[in-house]
Amino acid sequence: MEITTKLEFDAGHRIPSHKSSCKNLHGHRYAIEVTIKGEVVSDKSNSDFGMVMDFKDAKELIKKTIVEEWDHSFIVYKGDVVVLKFLESLDGHKTVIFPLVPTAENMALIAMEKLKISFNEEFGQLIKPFKVRLYETPNNWADVY
């Protein structure tokens, strides 16, 4: 069985070598949908009886793993030295350094890797993320399975 939940966050980024305006510092209202795969709980004494897991619990784990770190941050590629130096000059700025250029595709990949670790620590192989869809805008997104 699969269930999906969606959360939103705001963050800035840039694509340093992009041919158009995405090379400039800018931000988005991102949304992340996470599809979780697992068996429906059949134990009538379990609070999650009839569910894969409680949506509230799923949202809390996703929020802790992704949203709290990325929300209201500037996500910068580790090789974008000019912007990194600038952000380091700002006192107390919330900066997230990515090993990859922060495109929607790479953000979805990184989110999936982080969520795999969090779900495995919490549930072992019983419940795991199956798909991450990262919306950069309401009409543009990337999926990773």
Side-chain angles (χ1 to χ4, degrees):
M1 174 71 68
E2 297 170 8
I3 62 170
T4 302
T5 191
K6 182 177 180 180
L7 292 96
E8 297 181 346
F9 62 96
D10 299 294
H13 77 147
R14 86 171 186 138
I15 311 303
S17 59
H18 196 267
K19 64 185 172 193
S20 70
S21 59
C22 288
K23 68 182 172 199
N24 298 313
L25 304 177
H26 64 284
H28 296 282
R29 176 69 174 172
Y30 289 97
I32 186 169
E33 284 182 4
V34 179
T35 300
I36 300 155
K37 194 170 193 169
E39 297 298 319
V40 175
V41 175
S42 59
D43 177 0
K44 291 180 184 177
S45 66
N46 188 311
S47 173
D48 292 344
F49 174 62
M51 307 174 197
V52 171
M53 71 181 297
D54 188 308
F55 281 116
K56 182 176 184 248
D57 295 337
K59 285 185 176 191
E60 285 177 7
L61 187 55
I62 297 160
K63 184 177 177 185
K64 181 178 77 173
T65 304
I66 304 297
V67 175
E68 288 177 0
E69 181 183 353
W70 293 1
D71 189 39
H72 283 82
S73 71
F74 194 89
I75 300 171
V76 61
Y77 171 51
K78 69 179 182 178
D80 194 351
V81 178
V82 173
V83 172
L84 269 172
K85 284 183 182 179
F86 167 70
L87 295 171
E88 289 169 357
S89 75
L90 302 175
D91 188 35
H93 188 272
K94 188 175 179 183
T95 303
V96 176
I97 301 171
F98 261 37
L100 305 169
V101 176
T103 60
E105 295 89 339
N106 286 334
M107 291 175 70
L109 282 169
I110 289 170
M112 176 60 95
E113 290 308 311
K114 292 170 75 64
L115 288 166
K116 281 182 186 177
I117 293 167
S118 291
F119 272 83
N120 188 51
E121 287 173 355
E122 190 76 24
F123 304 107
Q125 294 298 307
L126 296 176
I127 302 172
K128 51 189 165 186
F130 173 72
K131 179 176 103 174
V132 169
R133 172 170 283 177
L134 187 91
Y135 290 86
E136 188 172 87
T137 70
N139 299 313
N140 300 299
W141 63 84
D143 292 333
V144 64
Y145 295 85

